[in-house]
Amino acid sequence: VPLCIDSSNFSVIEAGLKCCQGKCIVNSISLKEGEDDFLAKARQIKKYGAAVVVMAFDEVGQATETEEKILICHRAYHLLVNKVGFNPNDVIFDPNILTIGTGMEEHNMYAVNFINATKTIKEMLPGVKVSGGLSNLSFAFRGMDAIREAMHGVFLYHAIKSGMDMGIVNAGNLPVYDDIHKELLQLCEDLIWNKDPDATEKLLRYAQSHAQGGKKVVQTDEWRNGSVEERLEYALVKGIEKYVIEDSEEARLNKDKYPRPLNIIEGPLMNGMKIVGDLFGAGKMFLPQVIKSARVMKKAVGHLIPYMEQEREEMRALSGSTEEDNPYNGTIVLATVKGDVHDIGKNIVGVVLGCNNFRVIDLGVMTPCDKILRAALENKADFIGLSGLITPSLDEMIFVAKEMERLEIKIPLLIGGATTSKTHTAVKIAPRYSAPVIHVLDASKSVVVCSQLLDENLKDDFFEEILEEYEDIRQDHYDSLKERRYLSLQQARSKSFCYDWLAQPKLVKPQFIGTKVFEDYDLQKLVEYIDWKPFFDVWQLRGKYPNRGFPKIFNDRAVGEEAKKVYNDAQSMLTTLIAQKKLKAKGLVGFWPARSIQDDIYLYANDEMMSPEPIAKFYGLRQQAEKDPASTDPYYCLSDFIAPRESGVNDYLGLFAVACFGVDELCKEYEKQCDDYNIIMVKALADRLAEAFAEELHERVRKEFWAYCENEQLEFSELRRIRYEGIRPAPGYPCQPDHTEKLTMWKLANIEEATGIQLTESLAMMPASAVSGLYFSNPESKYFAVGKILKDQVEDYALRKNIAVAEVEKWLGPILGYDPE
């Protein structure tokens, strides 16, 4: 989706264009200041490769009549295309959606004028797009949300038919045209088309007499009076499981209408899921609703499968044929790559694709390359989707692409997951594979990508567009590497963070040296430490300012109601999980005397350090990317926060590892019940509990186990804002991007044997709901990002760790400030 840069100050627009990669849209320019100003701005916009929104506004003023709108847009079109050389496809006209229903007669035709002008503009000016701001239309009815939403829905229904391509509107609150209450629909039609001079008064009376804002309130079971087809579709759209098996059986017994069980899936069930897919794609349904719809679909299909198997056997026996029916749009093989255990995002993609009639072969987590490719070939897959959360997964995705190229497989490869990006896909994966490689940002985009790749009329143009876009991204990436400036490692070290260790009070010694294990931590204690924002992110429920955080999200007009439902479901499940001891929290903390030597941290068995040999070493990486000359910020490394060996100051370093066990067993039970919703729910809650465990344990470390802040009294909101002293950075994250440092932690504290938390070959933690890190008590310690580093640091780091440079480059690939190939 292009970034739209919107400002009335053109210098702000220019500044934005300089900072944005990819194709932007500028909103907006007009002929208000005359042709010279218009052309100068247009040339600058074209220079940056952006598209432009042009307002129907000239030296005289804003166009209100149909003919004025057309004339101004026609004039601007020829200036842009013939004088500036703009591609017509990069021109977006906004013929001004103006307010109706104001009580002033001259405003009555504003909606009609926009719609008529749009039709003519699209016919007369080939290639251009038409946009508009919807909120202006209904401004006279501010405060009457149901009326405004209905007006927007009706207006768009007609404007789109006349050629309107895009608009600024809260899509989540747009009603479906056919769902608008009939009386309200007619009133909106009359107002928009200026059919009734009293339409405004009638709308106001309607709003006052309908407490529900004109939305029809259906009795709980009124929908049960419809036909079996209507009931099945309604149950799917609303996510109601209660009657779906009963209704599926009723349809199956109607042999005249549905001779085969498959006919029910292809008929009412797929019709219902098509509605779900369309509503989700249009932003009119939210992810939790889609997951519930999928649960209903799976229950219905699960009821029909035994009958389909029986029929298949009978048909095979009669005909001797082994050919299978394929009612699907396409088949995708999904997998979390080898070494990675995180799969919530992948599961959501699978559910959304399933809702859009794709056959999903989910291979689970830690899937080796050969298994992925074998499954794709055996199932005649149309796509392969790879997912990963940790940075080593990026290398595994590159390996899969290389293998697909070597074996001359030509199946489109979709890339997704928290650690992936469009830039990494374009720079590192796509060049290894000649078939389509596409980064898919989230679940809602997967359907669009898959549908376009399956459409014979679209796929070649779509792939060509991706190739061009990724080539531009690669060029920008390599150009940026050339432009970036760095300090040498020695220069960066000379500008490191300085702390006057001798002038500070004596550092507090932890209450014990070594480790302390927690076998079965009280989950109830962790509930109040849960940060709910990432939970809502999993469900793709994001409130808009000022309702972004928890619990403000419940006030958000678009997602608030659904967020509250999901939260209530989570509370109910959480209560059950804790009461029935379905999950178990285990963890460990440990502390050791520590000293820093340049960029590394040495740990010792005791304070005396009689032996010069440390019991463990943690290696650090230092910032090298040059900072603003006016900045006095140092070039940080984690070792800066530990007392140097030569200072003579006794310092300490802590570590922790915590996890939530039992999730996989619960998911297997939900899988038997075809319950994707609760599978995702329990995984999301386990992740939250593990993070809450880390937060609560860190508080105990500060106040009890290390006790360097024993009088700390902070609210949970202050904990989230890191208002406490000290930090708990984790290997693989910005402060120390090297996952291999976990190996030192696991060996030093005997973590696997003590807690059961394992490391995969890619150094992901198992179970997936696990958190680990180091504890620093320095009051000046802070989180930072190492950022890009140069080869001199990579070589120095490899020498200190006594491993090959190529091995370091493999683990630190995403932060290399140079191309190692």
Side-chain angles (χ1 to χ4, degrees):
V1 177
L3 189 66
C4 187
I5 301 176
D6 189 336
S7 178
S8 56
N9 185 335
F10 194 73
S11 62
V12 172
I13 286 174
E14 267 204 282
L17 289 171
K18 289 175 183 176
C19 296
C20 299
Q21 59 178 340
K23 193 176 195 71
C24 297
I25 298 174
V26 168
N27 188 24
S28 60
I29 61 172
S30 75
L31 286 158
K32 182 167 59 174
E33 303 296 334
E35 283 190 11
D36 290 344
D37 177 78
F38 180 79
L39 290 169
K41 289 174 179 173
R43 289 189 178 104
Q44 284 297 99
I45 292 166
K46 184 175 182 293
K47 186 179 84 172
Y48 290 106
V52 65
V53 176
V54 181
M55 303 297 297
F57 211 119
D58 65 4
E59 298 89 339
V60 177
Q62 188 174 45
T64 59
E65 301 301 318
T66 303
E67 293 74 19
E68 293 172 353
K69 296 174 191 284
I70 294 166
L71 283 172
I72 292 173
C73 292
H74 185 269
R75 178 185 168 199
Y77 177 87
H78 285 286
L79 288 171
L80 289 171
V81 174
N82 298 332
K83 283 202 172 185
V84 182
F86 249 88
N87 183 334
N89 295 295
D90 287 343
V91 178
I92 303 161
F93 285 116
D94 185 338
N96 309 326
I97 298 176
L98 302 172
T99 305
I100 59 174
T102 62
M104 299 173 68
E105 190 176 342
E106 60 266 34
H107 297 170
N108 291 352
M109 289 293 289
Y110 280 171
V112 178
N113 292 347
F114 180 93
I115 292 170
N116 290 340
T118 295
K119 190 171 189 300
T120 305
I121 289 165
K122 291 300 290 283
E123 290 170 352
M124 190 169 65
L125 307 176
V128 303
K129 302 283 187 283
V130 172
S131 178
L134 262 289
S135 63
N136 293 344
L137 181 81
S138 61
F139 193 69
F141 296 89
R142 56 192 181 278
M144 304 176 193
D145 291 342
I147 301 295
R148 297 191 73 176
E149 290 160 14
M151 286 176 67
H152 297 165
V154 173
F155 179 84
L156 278 178
Y157 177 77
H158 295 294
I160 289 168
K161 282 185 175 181
S162 293
M164 186 179 178
D165 301 283
M166 57 188 80
I168 303 170
V169 65
N170 185 343
N173 279 9
L174 275 177
V176 177
Y177 182 85
D178 291 339
D179 288 348
I180 299 171
H181 189 267
K182 296 302 178 202
E183 184 184 351
L184 177 58
L185 177 63
Q186 189 58 53
L187 290 170
C188 290
E189 289 277 359
D190 290 346
L191 182 65
I192 285 165
W193 291 108
N194 194 25
K195 292 178 180 177
D196 183 350
D198 297 323
T200 301
E201 287 300 319
K202 289 177 181 177
L203 258 179
L204 288 170
R205 284 199 298 272
Y206 178 91
Q208 290 162 2
S209 62
H210 287 72
Q212 294 296 327
K215 295 177 183 176
K216 188 179 179 184
V217 181
V218 180
Q219 295 301 315
T220 308
D221 281 344
E222 184 181 321
W223 62 281
R224 300 296 302 155
N225 299 327
S227 67
V228 70
E229 291 80 10
E230 290 170 336
R231 281 180 267 140
L232 283 170
E233 287 179 19
Y234 187 91
L236 285 162
V237 173
K238 300 297 182 183
I240 302 170
E241 299 174 68
K242 187 176 179 182
Y243 306 102
V244 70
I245 292 176
E246 174 188 322
D247 289 344
S248 299
E249 180 63 9
E250 181 183 330
R252 189 186 71 81
L253 293 174
N254 187 346
K255 298 294 184 184
D256 293 335
K257 199 164 190 179
Y258 302 109
R260 305 176 58 197
L262 181 63
N263 301 145
I264 302 163
I265 295 174
E266 293 176 328
L269 292 178
M270 281 306 179
N271 290 342
M273 292 314 285
K274 184 179 184 305
I275 295 168
V276 170
D278 290 345
L279 291 172
F280 181 61
K284 298 172 191 173
M285 268 182 91
F286 300 110
L287 185 62
Q289 297 166 305
V290 174
I291 304 295
K292 288 176 181 176
S293 297
R295 178 166 63 182
V296 176
M297 179 71 171
K298 284 191 173 183
K299 290 211 168 180
V301 172
H303 174 71
L304 295 171
I305 280 175
Y307 300 104
M308 292 169 67
E309 295 286 352
Q310 181 184 340
E311 178 197 59
R312 191 178 289 122
E313 292 303 318
E314 290 169 357
M315 290 175 71
R316 282 178 179 169
L318 286 171
S319 66
S321 170
T322 58
E323 201 168 310
E324 296 281 341
D325 290 310
N326 182 14
Y328 298 102
N329 287 339
T331 297
I332 184 167
V333 168
L334 290 176
T336 299
V337 295
K338 184 176 77 169
D340 205 325
V341 296
H342 301 88
D343 66 349
I344 293 182
K346 171 182 65 66
N347 293 350
I348 290 171
V349 168
V351 171
V352 170
L353 285 170
C355 289
N356 285 270
N357 196 25
F358 285 86
R359 178 176 170 232
V360 178
I361 313 294
D362 191 338
L363 302 180
V365 301
M366 294 183 64
T367 317
C369 176
D370 61 329
K371 183 178 178 182
I372 296 169
L373 302 187
R374 189 167 60 249
L377 297 173
E378 288 173 356
N379 291 284
K380 298 178 181 175
D382 298 292
F383 318 96
I384 295 173
L386 303 181
S387 177
L389 180 82
I390 58 172
T391 48
S393 297
L394 299 174
D395 279 334
E396 184 62 22
M397 291 175 182
I398 295 169
F399 175 70
V400 174
K402 285 180 177 177
E403 282 297 283
M404 291 173 75
E405 184 70 9
R406 184 179 69 81
L407 297 169
E408 298 183 351
I409 295 170
K410 298 299 177 187
I411 302 170
L413 183 61
L414 309 184
I415 303 294
T419 194
T420 65
S421 68
K422 187 181 281 189
T423 299
H424 183 271
T425 303
V427 174
K428 296 293 185 180
I429 305 177
R432 269 75 175 185
Y433 187 46
S434 53
V437 180
I438 301 169
H439 181 254
V440 182
L441 186 64
D442 61 40
S444 61
K445 306 293 186 295
S446 59
V447 177
V448 177
V449 170
C450 291
S451 299
Q452 288 187 294
L453 287 171
L454 284 175
D455 190 320
E456 290 297 329
N457 298 319
L458 293 176
K459 67 177 185 181
D460 290 340
D461 288 344
F462 179 60
F463 183 31
E464 189 175 329
E465 190 178 315
I466 292 290
L467 286 175
E468 289 176 6
E469 181 188 3
Y470 283 15
E471 180 56 41
D472 288 344
I473 290 172
R474 280 191 289 275
Q475 194 59 51
D476 289 345
H477 170 75
Y478 290 121
D479 287 348
S480 72
L481 288 182
K482 292 174 192 170
E483 291 168 8
R484 282 183 187 158
R485 298 173 64 85
Y486 298 89
L487 272 61
S488 70
L489 179 58
Q490 285 308 116
Q491 288 173 319
R493 283 172 173 164
S494 70
K495 297 185 176 184
S496 65
F497 169 73
C498 293
Y499 187 71
D500 191 345
W501 295 94
L502 298 178
Q504 305 303 322
K506 185 180 178 184
L507 298 178
V508 176
K509 182 177 179 178
Q511 300 299 303
F512 58 89
I513 299 297
T515 61
K516 181 179 179 66
V517 178
F518 305 96
E519 278 292 338
D520 190 0
Y521 210 79
D522 184 358
L523 288 173
Q524 193 60 55
K525 286 174 63 177
L526 305 181
V527 173
E528 65 182 284
Y529 289 85
I530 290 177
D531 178 2
W532 287 101
K533 185 188 176 299
F535 171 82
F536 293 114
D537 289 342
V538 166
W539 294 104
Q540 296 180 17
L541 295 171
R542 298 177 182 99
K544 292 182 179 176
Y545 179 84
N547 298 317
R548 285 181 184 149
F550 171 81
K552 290 180 181 178
I553 190 173
F554 299 144
N555 301 323
D556 190 83
R557 283 185 56 219
V559 303
E561 186 179 343
E562 192 58 33
K564 187 66 177 172
K565 288 179 187 174
V566 176
Y567 178 73
N568 289 339
D569 288 346
Q571 292 299 312
S572 176
M573 178 178 276
L574 205 50
T575 301
T576 302
L577 292 174
I578 294 172
Q580 297 180 8
K581 297 189 179 296
K582 296 284 188 181
L583 296 177
K584 187 175 184 179
K586 297 176 74 173
L588 166 154
V589 293
F591 308 99
W592 289 269
R595 306 291 184 276
S596 65
I597 298 179
Q598 211 162 60
D599 294 346
D600 303 329
I601 300 170
Y602 287 37
L603 269 59
Y604 299 89
N606 54 59
D607 280 320
E608 283 69 39
M609 292 187 293
M610 297 300 291
S611 167
E613 276 302 306
I615 58 172
K617 296 178 190 175
F618 286 102
Y619 297 92
L621 292 164
R622 188 171 294 282
Q623 294 174 320
Q624 275 189 281
E626 190 173 62
K627 304 190 179 188
D628 190 308
S631 169
T632 57
D633 286 350
Y635 289 72
Y636 286 105
C637 174
L638 282 176
S639 63
D640 295 343
F641 306 131
I642 296 290
R645 187 163 62 178
E646 64 271 17
S647 70
V649 173
N650 289 338
D651 204 351
Y652 305 89
L653 183 77
L655 65 71
F656 73 97
V658 297
C660 211
F661 291 82
V663 175
D664 291 343
E665 293 75 11
L666 284 167
C667 287
K668 285 172 187 171
E669 289 302 313
Y670 289 129
E671 207 169 309
K672 290 175 187 174
Q673 300 164 32
C674 302
D675 193 345
D676 289 311
Y677 182 74
N678 277 328
I679 288 173
I680 293 167
M681 181 66 78
V682 75
K683 288 184 177 183
L685 285 176
D687 283 354
R688 291 299 87 223
L689 285 168
E691 292 286 356
F693 194 175
E695 190 70 78
E696 194 268 356
L697 197 56
H698 193 189
E699 185 180 62
R700 289 189 68 186
V701 164
R702 296 190 302 274
K703 297 168 73 171
E704 179 184 345
F705 301 135
W706 198 335
Y708 62 84
C709 282
E710 57 186 346
N711 297 319
E712 175 186 292
Q713 295 293 328
L714 296 176
E715 298 292 325
F716 178 65
S717 60
E718 294 174 296
L719 295 181
R720 281 179 50 209
R721 294 187 181 96
I722 317 173
R723 297 283 167 81
Y724 48 77
E725 286 187 11
I727 56 173
R728 56 170 192 273
Y733 284 81
C735 289
Q736 171 39 299
D738 184 4
H739 281 273
T740 65
E741 291 294 284
K742 287 182 201 157
L743 294 170
T744 305
M745 292 172 60
W746 257 247
K747 183 179 178 183
L748 172 67
N750 206 23
I751 291 173
E752 182 173 345
E753 290 76 6
T755 65
I757 306 170
Q758 301 174 322
L759 293 176
T760 70
E761 58 194 302
S762 294
L763 303 180
M765 291 175 285
M766 291 178 61
S769 299
V771 185
S772 65
L774 302 174
Y775 289 132
F776 291 78
S777 67
N778 190 316
E780 297 295 319
S781 61
K782 59 179 284 185
Y783 293 104
F784 61 91
V786 169
K788 299 287 184 184
I789 62 173
L790 291 185
K791 191 146 190 170
D792 65 337
Q793 180 159 198
V794 169
E795 290 173 342
D796 188 85
Y797 189 71
L799 187 66
R800 282 153 37 214
K801 291 194 74 156
N802 195 27
I803 58 175
V805 168
E807 183 73 4
V808 172
E809 289 176 334
K810 171 192 158 188
W811 288 99
L812 298 181
I815 67 159
L816 298 181
Y818 62 95
D819 188 351
E821 296 179 4

